[in-house]
Amino acid sequence: QIALEIYYGRYPLSGHMVETGGKSPFQIAVPNPGWQKTLHGFRWLRHMRAAGTELAAANARALVSDWIDMHGSNIAGVAWEPGTTAKRVIAWLQHSSVVLQGAEFPFYRAFLKSLAMQIRYLRAMAREMPDGKDRLRARIALAFAALSLPAPPSALRGATRNLAEELDRQILPDGGHISRNPMAVLETLADLLPLRQTYANQAETPPAALMGAIDRMLPALRFFRHQDGSLARFN
C-alpha cells in the first residue's frame, strides 16, 4: 500500500504526509526535519521490496537515481548527516535486489559509485561522530558494506572489530541502550538482525559482541513493550 502511495507522489513518512505534485521528493522543500531525514534515509525502500512488482522496482530505481543526481555529489545538508547517511547505506545494501532489478549498466555503475563515496565518507566521519545510536549505526553500515561489496579481508576485519567495540560499549548488560531509549533498542535490532544474516550468507563468523547484543536486546525489547505492542516512554 505504501509503495503505491509513493508511486502516486504521496510520501507518508515520519508521521507526516507530503504530496509532491508530480515532482521528485528530493526537489521540494519540506519544513519538517523528521520527514526529510526519513526521506533521505531510504528505509521506505522496504515497502517497494515488499510490493514485489516491476512497477515498484522501477519506481525505487528512479528515486535512487534522483537522489544520486540531486545530492550524490554535494556533501551538505540533511542528506549527508552521518546518521542519515548510515541509514541510507544500510537501506541501499539491504534492498539492492529491488533497486537493481531490471537496471541497465549506467545506473548500476552510478549506484555502486555513489555507495562507494558514501562509505568513504562514513568511514572518515565515524570516529568523530557524537556518542550514541547514530555512531553505532555508522559502524553497522560499514560492516554491511564490508560484507556486501568487494573489499580486502582487512576491511572486513576492521569493520567487524569497530562494530564489536561499539556494541560492547553501547548495549548494556541488561540489553538496553546507553541512551535508555527503548526506541533505540528497536531501531538497532532492526539493523543487527539482517546484519547477522548477512554474515551467515557470506559464510563469515559474526563477532561475539553482535550475537551477545542481540541475545540481550530481544528480552529487553519485550520488557519495554506494553500489552498493546507500543513501546514504553521514558523522560
Side-chain angles (χ1 to χ4, degrees):
Q1 179 64 32
I2 292 180
L4 199 58
E5 292 274 11
I6 289 174
Y7 176 75
Y8 286 115
R10 297 189 292 267
Y11 290 78
L13 306 176
S14 195
H16 187 67
M17 173 69 81
V18 170
E19 297 194 28
T20 62
K23 294 182 178 179
S24 167
F26 303 109
Q27 286 181 307
I28 61 177
V30 177
N32 184 307
W35 188 91
Q36 290 279 4
K37 289 181 180 182
T38 302
L39 175 70
H40 288 283
F42 275 86
R43 281 191 162 179
W44 42 266
L45 282 175
R46 69 185 186 274
H47 299 296
M48 317 310 225
R49 185 175 182 177
T53 64
E54 291 185 8
L55 180 64
N59 197 29
R61 187 166 61 253
L63 289 166
V64 169
S65 183
D66 282 350
W67 188 91
I68 293 171
D69 289 343
M70 297 176 198
H71 296 280
S73 59
N74 181 25
I75 302 179
V78 65
W80 281 90
E81 289 179 2
T84 300
T85 303
K87 284 184 182 180
R88 184 170 55 251
V89 167
I90 293 170
W92 283 18
L93 290 171
Q94 275 192 319
H95 306 301
S96 59
S97 60
V98 68
V99 173
L100 296 175
Q101 180 181 327
E104 295 185 355
F105 181 71
F107 174 81
Y108 182 81
R109 181 175 56 191
F111 179 74
L112 291 181
K113 182 179 178 181
S114 180
L115 262 178
M117 181 177 177
Q118 294 175 64
I119 290 162
R120 286 195 302 271
Y121 169 75
L122 264 189
R123 196 176 291 129
M125 295 295 293
R127 288 193 182 279
E128 307 304 321
M129 291 175 68
D131 198 14
K133 64 179 182 179
D134 282 346
R135 180 168 166 171
L136 175 56
R137 185 173 287 119
R139 291 304 184 190
I140 294 170
L142 291 171
F144 261 117
L147 286 163
S148 305
L149 299 172
S154 59
L156 178 57
R157 288 195 299 270
T160 297
R161 181 180 62 252
N162 290 331
L163 171 65
E165 290 174 357
E166 207 64 42
L167 285 169
D168 283 341
R169 202 176 56 77
Q170 292 206 33
I171 306 304
L172 301 172
D174 64 3
H177 184 258
I178 55 171
S179 67
R180 284 305 184 189
N181 181 351
M183 188 58 69
V185 176
L186 178 63
E187 291 179 354
T188 302
L189 267 176
D191 290 333
L192 291 182
L193 291 171
L195 179 61
R196 180 180 65 179
Q197 186 60 48
T198 303
Y199 272 98
N201 292 346
Q202 298 298 328
E204 296 286 350
T205 302
L210 170 59
M211 306 302 286
I214 291 173
D215 287 345
R216 297 195 305 277
M217 293 170 80
L218 285 171
L221 185 62
R222 287 193 289 269
F223 173 78
F224 286 132
R225 281 194 178 277
H226 295 303
Q227 288 185 346
D228 64 359
S230 63
L231 287 176
R233 293 181 179 272
F234 297 91
N235 294 324

